[in-house]
Structure formats: C-alpha cells, structure tokens
Amino acid sequence: MSSTTSNRSSQAIVIGAGFSGIAAATELASKGVDVVVLERHNHPGGRARVFQEAGFTFDMGPSWYWMPDVFEAYFEKFGSHVNEELDLVRLDPSYKVWFTGESLDVPAAFESMQVAFESMEKGAGQRLADFMAEAKIKYDIGMSEFVWKPAHNVLEFADWKTVKQATHLSLFTSFSKHARRYFTDPRLLQIIEFPVLFLGAKPEKTPALYSLMNYADTMLGTWYPMGGMHEIVRALVRVAERNGVQFHYEQDVASIDANHGKVSGVTLRDGTKWKAETIIAAADYHHVEQHLLPAAFRRYDATYWDNRVMSPSSLLFYVGVDIRVPQLKHHNLFFDTPFGPHASTIYDEPAWPEDPLFYISAPSKTDSGVAPEGHENLFFLIPLAPGLSEEEGQREFYFNHLCDRLESHIGLDIRPHIVFKRSYAHAEFQEDYRAFKGNAYGLANTLKQTAFWKPKMKSKLPGLFFTGQLTTPGPGVPPSLISGEVAGREAKSWLEVGK
C-alpha cells in the first residue's frame, strides 16, 4: 500500500518490518497505541525474505529455529498460540557435522547425544550433562531477566538480585576456556563451539555466558516451520494486524524529523510526511543514526562505528538441483578444515579465506513443498569478514571450491544437476538492508559489546528508540523479537510520562 496524501499521522511509527519492527509495533498496538509500520520493500520480513524460482521456495535469511520458548511466549502474549500459527517439526538429527574423513549425526535425544560424546572421548557423556546443567542456569537467568532490560545504563544491573545472578553467568571467562574445562577432543569442541559462531566473535573473545546457546540448541531442540522460515514472518504479521498494527510498504524513510527538541515524525523520499509522537527505528541502526537523524541528535560518530567489532557477513548461494542428495541432512556443518585460519580472516586481518568452513541447509529433506519432486533445495553459506571488497569471478571460485569439498564427502558432483543458482554477499546486504559494512548478523557479542555497552536503545532525540540486532539484546531471531518488545515497552512509557 502506498500513501496517496502528502501528510499523514499516527501516534507511533515503526521504521522497518523485520522481526524486531513487527514485535515493537505489536507491543504498542496491544496496549492501545495507534501504530503504523513503514517498510521500504514491498513485503515484510527484513532479512527473513523469501523468493520462488523454478519451482523452488528459498528462504533468504535465517534458517535455524531455536529457543522455541521465546516464540511460544510471544504468540501467547499477543492472543494466539504458536501451534495455531506454525506447523513445527523437531529435527532429528538436529544437524550433521562433517569432519575430515568422518561425519556425525547429532541426535535430538540428549541421552543419544551423551552416547555419541562418550564414544569420542571417555567421560564426555557425563561431562556433557554437567555442561548443560550449568548452561541451563545461564539460560534461565539470561532469558528471564537480563535480555528484558533496555540497558540504558549500568544501574539497571546494580540491584542485589541481578548482581547475585550475574555471578552465575561467567561474564569474564571466555567460551573457549569454559568449553575446555569439560572436553578435549577437537571434534567435540567444534560441536560445542559452533552455536557461538552465530554471535559474531571467536570463542576466545565470546563470554562463557553464551553456553546458554548450547542449552537452547541441545535441550530445547532445533525446529523447522513447515513452509519455511518466512512462515514465521507471515504469522507475526497476522498477529500484529489482529492487534491493530497497520503495515505500509514501499515507504522509504529519508529523514527523522524533530520539533521543539523531540521527535515529531518522518519524511519519505517521495516527500510524504508522517507525524508521530514516538518512533521506533527497526532499520539498520548505523544507517538510521548517521543518515536519517539530524546531526545534533547523533549519539555516535564515524570513529565509534569503525571501532565496533561486527559479526560476519556471508557469501550465500541459493541452489536448486534436479536430483536428491541422500547424504545430506536438513542442517549440515562442514568442519573438515581448521577454523583458526578462517577465523583470522574474519576477525583479525579481514580477507577472503583460503579454505573456509561452510554450512549447507537442505530444507527439502524435511519439507517437500520447497522443491519440485525429485529435486533438492540447497542453501550454502560461508562466513566472511564484513566490509570486504569483491573481485570479478570471486563468487564462482568459492562456489566451485564448496562443490569440490562437498563432492569429496559424498562422492557426487552436484554442478551438472543445477537448475537454478543465485548468489548473495556484502553488496546485496548493503543494498537491500543498508547493513553497515554488509554485515549479516549485527554486532559481535564480545564482553565490551554486551548489555549496556551496546549502542543504546534510547536515542539522544527524545521519543526515538532503536531496536534490532545492533542494540539490546543482540543478534538472532528470538533476541530480535525480544528487542522489539522491549523497545515497544519503552516507547509506550515515553507516551505516558516521558513526553
């Protein structure tokens, strides 16, 4: 829907219809606030877009459904139930890990996972139980308390209950050191450390707090919504609209406007003006603050942003083949080369890697509807340093490298069977999402970029708030939903008392 008048108004405006934006709008609308979402594209979802080609349905972004309790609580809060909105399947195995010369199907049942760990390292089965018991404490504290704080300042964390809980969170121990207290086998360490790769930093630089991700992965399970990850977006929009949210697409915000020292609305690139009493920016934080805000209200400068440690970008390939690939599972992690050299090209000296780790999702293993009969839907991902420049032919070089590696494991060259292929990397992340340095996952979750050390949710411009993966609590689909809810709560408070 496009605007047809030059001046419009709403009590609240949300910029961007990604996960956090939809959640923020729904939070406000559920409390009686008149709210509209202005989305630059002609569809909702942000990075969780979808496209169809040659009979295939490709999710373009997130592919892991973790932390099901967050989704359950979200839908219940806003008057629905996750099972009414999504057809969820728990994956078993949760994923497959490919090492040099061997592979492991990681089972969904914890007891079976203990057996697999014990077979690879004596005593590791019981130590896995100990590791998960400790991770559960972090998950319960982190997900019930810490992630729901807007993190405006350190005083939010200064009450006795929070300080006492923080002693259980291992904030000042690295994840790498923590994992090695339990396991020594390199293969087990790769399995344990893999979830934190999504957090955008080396295990040596990631706080041990994030073993809570292992609890989410192993104990709460890896799930898949039939129809694809974009089904989550459709469900969120349905719930939002039932709560009164209005979505306006193809609305490209050019500036955030201020009047008498507080936010007053936005101006679109076509000249249309929207007035509002409060605004939540769910677009890229850097883009909004550095390009849409008047300079006087920018909290951060270019030097600040250049010094941020960003999570990786990615080189993605969406591939359809006219055969089935029986050796693959739904999720496949290729740890058949050392991560150290690859990690250095991401975090230490940014460069294109020589021999990268990679990931393949094959959702057609679970969902026959995402590929024609007898075909396979494949999604390839290589984590890369953000901000890399690209040379002609580089994408094809890496695709052939991945295909060669895959062939060495399964004995099949998929290239003659490709009926569709599309690539996506830094340039597209910047163009489609205005993502700072073409990042895919936001800020890295290092200690100095955790909680109140992240870019602030509250803008220097009164009445403007930020949400999404560059602010509290951090990257990932469930954290983005939580971020939206918290930002919506803060904006509602502003409407009641702040302004």
Side-chain angles (χ1 to χ4, degrees), residues 241-257:
E241 291 179 334
R242 289 201 292 266
N243 276 274
V245 176
Q246 298 180 54
F247 290 86
H248 296 258
Y249 301 108
E250 298 180 305
Q251 307 286 289
D252 193 1
V253 174
S255 67
I256 294 174
D257 304 326

Side-chain angles (χ1 to χ4, degrees), residues 435-446:
F436 182 52
K437 295 184 177 181
N439 80 85
Y441 304 108
L443 284 181
N445 274 347
T446 61

Side-chain angles (χ1 to χ4, degrees), residues 158-178:
D159 63 274
W160 172 243
K161 178 182 178 183
T162 302
V163 171
K164 185 178 179 181
Q165 289 176 330
T167 63
H168 298 287
L169 297 181
S170 307
L171 286 169
F172 302 105
T173 300
S174 76
F175 190 96
S176 177
K177 183 177 180 180
H178 177 69

Side-chain angles (χ1 to χ4, degrees), residues 22-342:
I22 297 171
T26 308
E27 175 74 20
L28 284 168
S30 71
K31 294 178 177 175
V33 176
D34 176 30
V35 56
V36 299
V37 178
L38 303 180
E39 166 56 47
R40 179 166 70 108
H41 295 286
N42 63 1
H43 51 76
R47 283 165 166 77
R49 295 155 62 198
V50 65
F51 74 93
Q52 296 177 324
E53 194 71 44
F56 297 90
T57 299
F58 293 99
D59 279 316
M60 295 190 68
S63 60
W64 297 81
Y65 189 108
W66 279 347
M67 300 183 180
D69 52 324
V70 173
F71 294 95
E72 291 167 9
Y74 181 93
F75 285 114
E76 184 175 348
K77 177 180 181 179
F78 296 121
S80 188
H81 192 282
V82 69
N83 291 333
E84 295 175 1
E85 303 293 344
L86 299 171
D87 180 9
L88 294 172
V89 176
R90 183 167 183 177
L91 302 184
D92 190 10
S94 299
Y95 47 91
K96 185 170 188 171
V97 183
W98 299 80
F99 303 109
T100 301
E102 60 180 325
S103 63
L104 173 68
D105 290 348
V106 177
F110 181 65
E111 295 77 11
S112 299
M113 190 170 180
Q114 283 184 284
V115 171
F117 270 50
E118 186 68 28
S119 71
M120 300 169 80
E121 180 181 319
K122 184 174 177 58
Q126 179 56 49
R127 290 195 295 275
L128 179 64
D130 298 339
F131 180 91
M132 289 299 170
E134 195 262 1
K136 182 181 187 302
I137 295 172
K138 295 175 183 175
Y139 190 88
D140 291 343
I141 295 173
M143 299 305 294
S144 65
E145 296 285 343
F146 280 69
V147 298
W148 295 99
K149 296 181 181 293
H152 297 316
N153 58 64
V154 70
L155 294 179
E156 294 174 32
F157 300 84
D159 63 274
W160 172 243
K161 178 182 178 183
T162 302
V163 171
K164 185 178 179 181
Q165 289 176 330
T167 63
H168 298 287
L169 297 181
S170 307
L171 286 169
F172 302 105
T173 300
S174 76
F175 190 96
S176 177
K177 183 177 180 180
H178 177 69
R180 281 157 179 78
R181 291 174 178 170
Y182 294 88
F183 313 105
T184 60
D185 188 286
R187 297 166 298 175
L188 299 185
L189 289 169
Q190 285 180 304
I191 293 171
I192 288 294
E193 290 180 343
F194 124 75
V196 305
L197 299 180
F198 291 92
L199 301 174
K202 287 182 177 179
E204 296 90 337
K205 295 291 183 67
T206 301
L209 159 68
Y210 292 106
S211 64
L212 64 84
M213 294 291 293
N214 299 99
Y215 179 80
D217 156 26
T218 302
M219 307 307 290
L220 302 182
T222 299
W223 300 75
Y224 173 80
M226 295 299 287
M229 294 291 287
H230 191 72
E231 290 300 316
I232 305 171
V233 176
R234 294 189 175 103
L236 295 175
V237 170
R238 287 195 300 270
V239 170
E241 291 179 334
R242 289 201 292 266
N243 276 274
V245 176
Q246 298 180 54
F247 290 86
H248 296 258
Y249 301 108
E250 298 180 305
Q251 307 286 289
D252 193 1
V253 174
S255 67
I256 294 174
D257 304 326
N259 189 26
H260 299 299
K262 60 184 179 182
V263 76
S264 61
V266 300
T267 300
L268 305 185
R269 295 200 181 276
D270 66 3
T272 300
K273 290 185 177 294
W274 280 83
K275 293 182 179 180
E277 297 174 45
T278 187
I279 294 174
I280 299 177
D284 182 84
Y285 194 127
H286 170 269
H287 171 75
V288 171
E289 207 204 37
Q290 300 298 301
H291 299 287
L292 304 188
L293 264 184
F297 296 109
R298 296 172 190 168
R299 187 184 299 274
Y300 309 108
D301 58 18
T303 300
Y304 171 89
W305 285 107
D306 285 339
N307 288 335
R308 293 311 89 195
V309 180
M310 302 304 298
S311 71
S313 185
S314 298
L315 173 56
L316 310 174
F317 296 98
Y318 310 96
V319 180
V321 294
D322 62 6
I323 54 169
R324 303 308 300 267
V325 186
Q327 298 91 336
L328 293 177
K329 300 299 182 183
H330 189 120
H331 295 299
N332 305 267
L333 301 163
F334 288 82
F335 293 159
D336 52 340
T337 61
F339 181 54
H342 184 186

